[in-house]
Amino acid sequence: MVAPSGSALLPPPEPVQLIDPQGARAPEARAAGHAVPDAATLLAAHRALVRGRRFDRQATALVKQGRLAVYPSAHGQEAAEVGAVLALRATDWLFPTYRDSVALVTRGIDPVEVLTLLRGDWHCGYDPIAHRTGPQCTPLATQAPHAVGVAYAARARGEDTVVLAFLGDGATSEGDFHEAMNFAAVFQAPVVFFVQNNRYAISVPLARQTAAPSLAHKAVGYGVPGIGVDGNDVAAVLAVVGAAAERARTGGGPTLVEAHTYRMDAHTNADDASRYRSDEEVAAWRDRDPLDRITAHLRGAGLLDAALEAEIAAQAEADAADLRERLPAGPVPGGDELFAHVYASPTPQLRDQAERLRAEQAADELEDAR
């Protein structure tokens, strides 16, 4: 298949939107040829959003209780994660970032296993092969070349596998992103690069990341089509990622999807977001809440009544209670474990750091004994 060129690569002037923030059908011009998914798909997405929101709130509470080492919340971004995952087949692969725990729950991974890494364990908690889902990745964009490699290998084996690589806006500034995009474009690897543009890479605003008109425009330089989507509109995310996945599956090569969204919470529990963004900005995005939007749409269409809402909410509460019950206490590693397996033979710097930590711990123990 011949790759598109010229203006065919450019994203639409505005991000694709199918359902507006009030829950009504968006103007046809915003659809850019995409159709609203059927009722069953939207109801499944709504259920996954309710479950994802409750999981995220529970995980946030757990980190405050000291039962998790860290938790990067996806509050406000759930539609992007849920819609992208539901657009995949079970045989496709997913490569997530550290903020994509809701995506993993939507993928069907046990929530306890999802949170294992965030408790401070050495392991990611779930079987990547069984779930066709890579471990959550903290260094920005390092999973992108892995995603491309899996996609390239699957195509070489004659499989119709598509790989979805989650990225943040900050990841588009990394060399791994460039290498992954370039390789995927040249070799037409079946990859969907899904960038959740939540406006900040920790405290660095988007304007300090790029001078491009949008992150979707970055695709043009690689000969890859780019498209923007309202990341708080789960219907639009389903449609756009579904179309990109089908294009990749049928030999059309990679696509860069930029989901315009916003994280309502701080970067992690260790971050003070008030240092770099205003309350007014956060309030404006609260009016675009992804769960409120699809709920309003389904109510207006007569597809969601009070009884069904109560049933879904009760199941989400039961899930949260089950997570609280089954999540074990966080591991309490010894200090030496910080330095184990970093290198086959510890460097002088590591040995020095280990000795200094032991000295500090011994001093603390002596002080506690007094």
Side-chain angles (χ1 to χ4, degrees):
M1 181 177 291
V2 178
S5 60
S7 61
L9 298 174
L10 290 171
E14 293 185 278
V16 174
Q17 184 183 84
L18 300 179
I19 298 173
D20 71 18
Q22 289 71 48
R25 287 288 294 269
E28 192 64 31
R30 291 294 300 273
H34 294 85
V36 175
D38 61 38
T41 301
L42 290 182
L43 283 167
H46 172 267
R47 185 180 290 270
L49 280 172
V50 173
R51 184 186 184 202
R53 174 67 59 85
R54 186 64 187 90
F55 165 83
D56 186 87
R57 296 299 80 196
Q58 183 60 71
T60 298
L62 289 169
V63 77
K64 292 178 180 178
Q65 295 166 8
R67 296 181 66 185
L68 296 178
V70 67
Y71 182 69
S73 171
H75 187 197
Q77 299 183 214
E78 298 99 336
E81 298 190 14
V82 167
V85 169
L86 292 183
L88 299 177
R89 296 180 182 176
T91 53
D92 293 332
W93 268 84
L94 173 68
F95 281 81
T97 76
Y98 53 85
R99 196 176 300 282
D100 299 320
S101 295
V102 169
L104 303 188
V105 171
T106 305
R107 185 73 164 160
I109 301 174
D110 184 338
V112 172
E113 294 182 354
V114 170
L115 294 178
T116 295
L117 184 68
L118 299 174
R119 291 193 302 114
D121 200 281
W122 286 4
H123 307 288
C124 74
Y126 52 87
D127 182 345
I129 302 297
H131 296 286
R132 299 178 81 84
T133 301
Q136 286 180 277
C137 186
T138 298
L140 300 191
T142 55
Q143 80 280 13
H146 303 159
V148 174
V150 168
Y152 182 71
R155 196 189 68 174
R157 289 193 296 264
E159 301 170 359
D160 67 351
T161 300
V162 170
V163 179
L164 179 71
F166 275 111
L167 299 156
D169 45 292
T172 64
S173 298
E174 298 291 328
D176 292 285
F177 171 78
H178 160 73
E179 292 155 7
M181 285 287 296
N182 195 57
F183 189 100
V186 170
F187 294 100
Q188 292 291 280
V191 184
V192 179
F193 296 96
F194 187 74
V195 179
Q196 295 183 81
N197 177 5
N198 65 17
R199 299 300 187 270
Y200 293 95
I202 309 182
S203 60
V204 180
L206 183 65
R208 298 295 298 274
Q209 294 289 345
T210 184
S214 73
L215 296 178
H217 279 80
K218 286 180 174 282
V220 179
Y222 300 99
V224 171
I227 184 168
V229 63
D230 183 339
N232 286 18
D233 176 2
V234 72
V237 175
L238 275 162
V240 168
V241 175
E246 183 60 22
R247 178 177 177 275
R249 203 179 307 280
T250 55
T255 301
L256 174 61
V257 178
E258 177 187 7
H260 295 262
T261 186
Y262 195 82
R263 58 170 168 82
M264 300 304 297
D265 288 353
H267 176 69
T268 69
N269 51 294
D271 174 43
D272 178 8
S274 66
R275 296 182 298 107
Y276 54 84
R277 66 184 192 183
S278 67
D279 292 340
E280 291 76 17
E281 179 181 295
V282 176
W285 278 92
R286 189 171 293 114
D287 292 337
R288 308 179 203 181
D289 184 87
L291 180 53
D292 290 348
R293 184 183 308 200
I294 188 62
T295 300
H297 178 78
L298 292 172
R299 285 173 179 167
L303 298 170
L304 186 67
D305 58 22
L308 182 55
E309 284 192 68
E311 174 198 321
I312 295 170
Q315 184 58 59
E317 285 298 330
D319 290 344
D322 179 67
L323 175 59
R324 291 193 302 271
E325 178 69 23
R326 291 194 299 116
L327 187 74
V332 184
D336 287 344
E337 289 192 19
L338 290 171
F339 310 98
H341 311 301
V342 179
Y343 294 100
S345 298
T347 64
Q349 292 86 352
L350 281 178
R351 286 196 294 269
D352 177 64
Q353 291 171 19
E355 289 171 4
R356 284 191 285 125
L357 178 59
R358 292 189 199 103
E360 290 177 9
Q361 290 176 324
D364 289 342
E365 291 172 1
L366 183 60
E367 182 66 26
D368 292 341
R370 290 175 178 171

